[in-house]
Amino acid sequence: CILRGIDTSPLGSVIAARDETFFQGHPLLLVIDPVSTTILFAQVTTDRQADTWGAALLMAQEQGVTIAGLVEDMARMYGKSQEEAGLDVPVQKDIWHIQRDGSQVLRDLERAAFRATRQVIKLEKQLLKQWDETLFDERYVLAVAQEELCYDRHATFCQWLSHLVDALELVDWRSGEIRDRAINDWLLEETLSAMSEIDQPHVRKWVKTLRRHQSQLLTSLDWVEASLHAYRQHLAQVVSADQQESFIRVVARHWRLQQALTNGHRSFRRQAQDAEAALQLLVANDTQRRKLAENLSALLDAACRTSSMMEGVNGLLKQFLHNHRAFR
């Protein structure tokens, strides 16, 4: 009731994140603005089908906000829910889930390789105890070949998984370059094509899922490019033409490395400190430059690629609902 009384029209157009959690077996649908952390919609429903989600999107906009884009996971009903709501907005699929699932596939391949090694060691012990030509020819040779295949699969997938992570980047943490959609599209296609050649069930299933949503994995780059056009016009009023690209890269690199620290990647601490020093040197005591740096960071924040904020809200709600589970 409180949420329904909030006027969200001051937010204007937002890229909203959506997801669901569960309360006493019922789905709790959530739509939030990740930048302001405003909860645009939160309601327990009987199901989470496309028409229910469509109604949720419409109800979120009844409060005044305009949904200009959506960040969501790969649930199958999401696409149809836009049709049910009469919406046609761009979608960014959550890259956190993609990278998490990719890491899980990598661990599965690693465990398969270890199992193959244990099988080889087991057969070697049998052969050392008592030599058996038939056992050697019919089982040991095949086990060694399988072991080599498993380790090759793991190494190949690991290499291409790192390329996939790179293809999903918004900003290159090394140079501060805001990535180009065409280049990232090419790298993503090359990566998925190479992964498709890995003949392993878990890999094939995962790549098939990514292929189904491939066109929605880099939408955030389009959002950034659209926002940068107006930003560059403001930047040109303060920074000379030959320094504008350098200014953007310094600020973007600082933003990217701060994101890394926020996400717990402590290995980037030294680089983040260097980026902070470079940013402070760039803006010095110039209030205009500092404001431009803040605006670019806000612009990058707004080009949401993950539903991490949603997961955070889910975590808070889970604890709240757990503490109040005795109340109707």
Side-chain angles (χ1 to χ4, degrees), residues 208-262:
K208 183 179 179 180
T209 300
L210 294 182
R211 283 292 194 190
R212 190 166 64 247
H213 300 285
Q214 185 173 351
S215 63
Q216 297 175 327
L217 299 183
L218 301 175
T219 308
S220 57
L221 289 170
D222 295 333
W223 291 333
V224 169
E225 184 179 359
S227 300
L228 274 177
H229 180 70
Y231 177 81
R232 290 182 186 277
Q233 292 179 338
H234 293 297
L235 183 65
Q237 298 173 10
V238 178
V239 180
S240 61
D242 62 329
Q243 296 181 4
Q244 289 173 20
E245 188 60 33
S246 175
F247 184 95
I248 290 175
R249 289 195 176 202
V250 170
V251 176
R253 182 170 187 264
H254 176 267
W255 173 86
R256 175 63 183 86
L257 289 168
Q258 287 301 312
Q259 292 288 311
L261 292 184
T262 299

Side-chain angles (χ1 to χ4, degrees), residues 163 165-184 187 221 224-225 228:
H163 291 315
V165 172
D166 195 34
L168 298 176
E169 281 286 1
L170 189 66
V171 173
D172 190 316
W173 68 266
R174 292 150 294 201
S175 66
E177 176 189 7
I178 296 177
R179 305 299 277 274
D180 178 77
R181 174 66 189 258
I183 293 176
N184 279 35
L187 181 56
L221 289 170
V224 169
E225 184 179 359
L228 274 177

Side-chain angles (χ1 to χ4, degrees), residues 18-80:
R18 63 166 162 172
D19 198 5
E20 69 276 331
T21 187
F22 287 86
F23 176 59
Q24 295 183 352
H26 295 288
L28 171 58
L29 308 190
L30 287 164
V31 182
I32 69 169
D33 170 22
V35 176
S36 67
T37 69
T38 302
I39 298 177
L40 305 176
F41 179 85
Q43 187 168 317
V44 176
T45 58
T46 56
D47 61 63
R48 49 176 177 158
Q49 298 304 313
D51 56 346
T52 305
W53 260 117
L57 295 176
L58 290 175
M59 292 174 69
Q61 294 192 108
E62 286 178 356
Q63 306 304 118
V65 73
T66 299
I67 296 176
L70 288 166
V71 180
E72 59 194 34
D73 59 31
M74 298 187 190
R76 290 181 177 271
M77 68 283 192
Y78 281 157
K80 189 177 179 182

Side-chain angles (χ1 to χ4, degrees), residues 86-126:
L87 290 177
D88 185 16
V89 299
V91 169
Q92 168 68 52
K93 291 302 181 182
D94 172 66
I95 67 167
W96 180 84
H97 283 90
I98 293 172
Q99 294 182 19
R100 180 202 62 180
D101 294 346
S103 297
Q104 181 61 56
V105 172
L106 185 64
R107 287 192 292 271
D108 291 341
L109 293 176
E110 182 181 57
R111 284 194 287 267
F114 289 159
R115 286 195 298 270
T117 295
R118 286 195 294 270
Q119 180 64 18
V120 169
I121 293 173
K122 178 182 177 181
L123 292 173
E124 286 177 345
K125 287 180 178 179
Q126 293 181 32

Side-chain angles (χ1 to χ4, degrees), residues 283-294:
V283 300
N285 296 319
D286 191 321
T287 56
Q288 286 184 303
R289 282 179 170 240
R290 186 173 295 277
K291 184 63 177 176
L292 283 168
E294 292 173 355

Side-chain angles (χ1 to χ4, degrees), residues 281-326:
L281 183 64
L282 181 71
V283 300
N285 296 319
D286 191 321
T287 56
Q288 286 184 303
R289 282 179 170 240
R290 186 173 295 277
K291 184 63 177 176
L292 283 168
E294 292 173 355
N295 290 345
L296 180 55
S297 295
L299 182 155
L300 293 170
D301 280 335
C304 189
R305 300 179 301 144
T306 73
S307 56
S308 302
M309 180 63 71
M310 181 67 75
E311 298 297 337
V313 172
N314 277 346
L316 294 172
L317 281 174
K318 284 286 188 182
Q319 186 62 44
F320 176 81
L321 295 174
H322 174 76
N323 292 338
H324 294 77
R325 65 188 182 280

